[in-house]
Amino acid sequence: MIRFMNLAVTESERDSLIQVILQVFNHGIFINGPELTEFESKIAKFHNRKYANGVCSGSGALLYALRALEIGMGDEVITTSLSWIATANAIASSGATPIFADVDSDLNINIESIEKLITHKTKAILPVHYAGRVCKIDEVLKLAKENNLKVLEDASQAIGASKNGILAGSFGDVSAFSLNPMKVLGALGEAGVVLSDNKEIKERIDILRYNGTINKESCIAVSLNGRMDTLQASILLERLRTFTNIIEKRREIAYYYHKHLEDVVKTPLENEGEKNSWYSYTIMGEDRDYLQKYLLEHGIETKIQHPILMPEQIAYKGSKCIIDNAQKIVKQILCIPANEKITKNEQDYIIERIRRFYGK
Ligand SMILES: Cc1ncc(COP(=O)(O)O)c(C=O)c1O
């Protein structure tokens, strides 16, 4: 079986990770240890941002970022309809109402639909850089400026992706990343980070991620603990040194797929000035469900990221949304194995099977 993803730590990485874990064992500062501070400083610098807050997860990162922007009850936040449900849940958990915009064929948020959804209650736009591709961020920023809105980027799937040399997560007022094990830069458990250039936002998140307290005793905001473990920070710090190599390897895989599949399915490719992080390789084709079944019967595991549009989830039924295009697209998308661990032979086999399915 060709697995969609294999998260086992490779032999070549094992020793270096054990070393960094042992360092944490030795100093014993498992929360707020020196590795966390160093990771925050390096990840901020990598993104040309002033501040980073390491937190418990991408979901936590989004929620803390929204709260630090003082978004809550009575406010509306416009996001995409195609993302993992964490994006909507973070908005709703802040007390605000998620409003769902349509997507374009690049699977990213559609600008015209955002424009139509803006009301006097709208406080922010929360675009997701979906599947590792930077969204039409210039237009999002322009719209936000014209309407006096904040921009919170959900860059969970796009760490290392860029547009015209600027990295995902470096455009908006604040950005949130998931660093869970599936991500291109991943910890060995739950982790996330918030980036910003605003000291007040950074300091508010320091408080929010520690039960709303200052120095543990004085509670000034209702919140729950959500700091990043020192152990996870130590792993991320080590992986940060080489994660751009992973993107390069994934780019090679993506271009090879494109070359051999573009005549049978819609394949993603980088536009001028774009560098994707290739979090997932999402093809679009007719008879998607049959294709997925056929590939599984032939030993190829695939995934649909994400099979249910957020406004169509039971928890969000009745939400305000524009999803005409998204409803068509969500029936066609399929992620095929494209992580750095798949071999050339495996890739050739996947290509051959997809071509055969479409009679080529
Ligand atoms: C777009 C997006 N947003 C948010 C999240 C939530 O991140 P986490 O799983 O770290 O809470 C994810 C995680 O998969 C994601 O893909």
Side-chain angles (χ1 to χ4, degrees):
M1 169 72 81
I2 303 177
R3 287 167 60 188
F4 179 69
M5 200 174 260
N6 174 5
L7 296 176
V9 176
T10 57
E11 282 298 329
S12 59
E13 207 193 9
R14 227 161 259 215
D15 283 347
S16 61
L17 292 190
I18 290 171
Q19 286 313 313
V20 300
I21 289 169
L22 283 177
Q23 276 173 28
V24 181
F25 281 13
N26 288 336
H27 66 56
I29 311 169
F30 293 106
I31 306 278
N32 279 349
E35 288 83 355
L36 177 64
T37 315
E38 192 181 343
F39 175 69
E40 288 175 334
S41 145
K42 289 207 166 138
I43 195 90
K45 194 160 175 223
F46 179 76
H47 286 90
N48 210 11
R49 286 284 212 180
K50 285 196 183 135
Y51 305 106
N53 297 86
V55 294
C56 56
S57 65
S59 310
L62 285 166
L63 176 59
Y64 292 140
L66 286 158
R67 291 202 53 196
L69 288 170
E70 297 184 283
I71 288 168
M73 202 78 87
D75 299 330
E76 291 181 351
V77 177
I78 300 176
T79 190
T80 174
S81 50
L82 184 63
S83 179
W84 192 45
I85 197 61
T87 311
N89 281 342
I91 298 170
S93 300
S94 76
T97 305
I99 307 290
F100 301 97
D102 212 347
V103 295
D104 291 322
S105 58
D106 67 354
L107 310 180
N108 269 322
I109 196 161
N110 166 274
I111 302 298
E112 290 73 39
S113 65
I114 303 179
E115 226 167 339
K116 286 185 192 148
L117 291 166
I118 293 173
T119 69
H120 67 282
K121 290 187 178 171
T122 312
K123 269 283 179 69
I125 306 174
L126 199 173
V128 175
H129 303 300
Y130 189 82
R133 177 181 233 164
V134 177
C135 74
K136 289 161 222 76
I137 191 71
D138 297 341
E139 293 167 64
V140 170
L141 293 170
K142 185 167 171 274
L143 208 51
K145 197 166 176 206
E146 285 164 4
N147 292 278
N148 196 23
L149 306 174
K150 299 287 183 198
V151 174
L152 162 55
E153 299 170 69
D154 183 345
S156 294
Q157 301 187 359
I159 191 156
S162 63
K163 199 171 216 169
N164 301 325
I166 301 174
L167 285 165
S170 307
F171 294 96
D173 297 279
V174 195
S175 56
F177 296 77
S178 167
L179 301 169
N180 76 27
M182 278 168 58
K183 298 299 181 277
V184 181
L185 175 65
L188 298 183
E190 307 270 20
V193 70
V194 182
L195 302 182
S196 72
D197 293 321
N198 182 323
K199 196 163 180 234
E200 270 177 43
I201 287 182
K202 191 247 181 279
E203 287 174 352
R204 257 182 242 147
I205 296 177
D206 282 341
I207 291 167
L208 289 168
R209 70 179 180 178
Y210 197 22
N211 260 297
T213 65
I214 300 172
N215 296 330
K216 192 171 179 181
E217 302 309 341
S218 175
C219 178
I220 60 162
V222 177
S223 192
L224 295 175
N225 266 0
R227 293 171 291 174
M228 183 194 285
D229 297 345
T230 311
L231 276 170
Q232 299 304 348
S234 73
I235 285 151
L236 289 164
L237 204 47
E238 183 60 22
R239 287 185 161 177
L240 186 61
R241 298 193 303 118
T242 54
F243 96 101
T244 50
N245 301 345
I246 295 177
I247 297 178
E248 282 315 313
K249 182 80 193 23
R250 287 184 180 212
R251 175 168 290 115
E252 264 173 43
I253 292 168
Y255 275 70
Y256 191 72
Y257 270 142
H258 178 76
K259 188 168 155 206
H260 296 282
L261 288 177
E262 65 165 331
D263 60 326
V264 289
V265 288
K266 184 174 182 315
T267 53
L269 204 63
E270 290 162 330
N271 294 323
E272 182 87 19
E274 281 179 5
K275 282 208 157 199
N276 298 358
S277 68
W278 301 108
Y279 169 65
S280 58
Y281 192 84
T282 310
I283 57 170
M284 286 166 65
E286 295 304 320
D287 298 324
R288 187 270 319 271
D289 292 343
Y290 292 114
L291 172 63
Q292 185 174 39
K293 194 163 167 273
Y294 171 86
L295 292 176
L296 191 61
E297 282 165 6
H298 290 88
I300 301 164
E301 187 188 20
T302 59
K303 294 261 188 265
I304 301 166
Q305 276 167 349
H306 304 276
I308 306 174
L309 295 176
M310 295 195 293
E312 296 195 320
Q313 295 280 4
I314 292 169
Y316 291 99
K317 274 271 152 69
S319 293
K320 196 164 142 196
C321 60
I322 300 177
I323 50 171
D324 304 319
N325 205 26
Q327 280 178 322
K328 288 180 210 136
I329 281 176
V330 78
K331 295 192 186 98
Q332 297 178 2
I333 50 175
L334 187 69
C335 305
I336 58 178
N339 66 79
E340 66 286 354
K341 287 177 187 151
I342 69 161
T343 64
K344 196 71 181 288
N345 281 348
E346 288 173 331
Q347 210 187 351
D348 281 334
Y349 176 67
I350 295 165
I351 290 167
E352 183 205 317
R353 281 293 161 194
I354 295 175
R355 295 193 67 81
R356 228 190 255 190
F357 178 82
Y358 287 108
K360 296 273 179 143

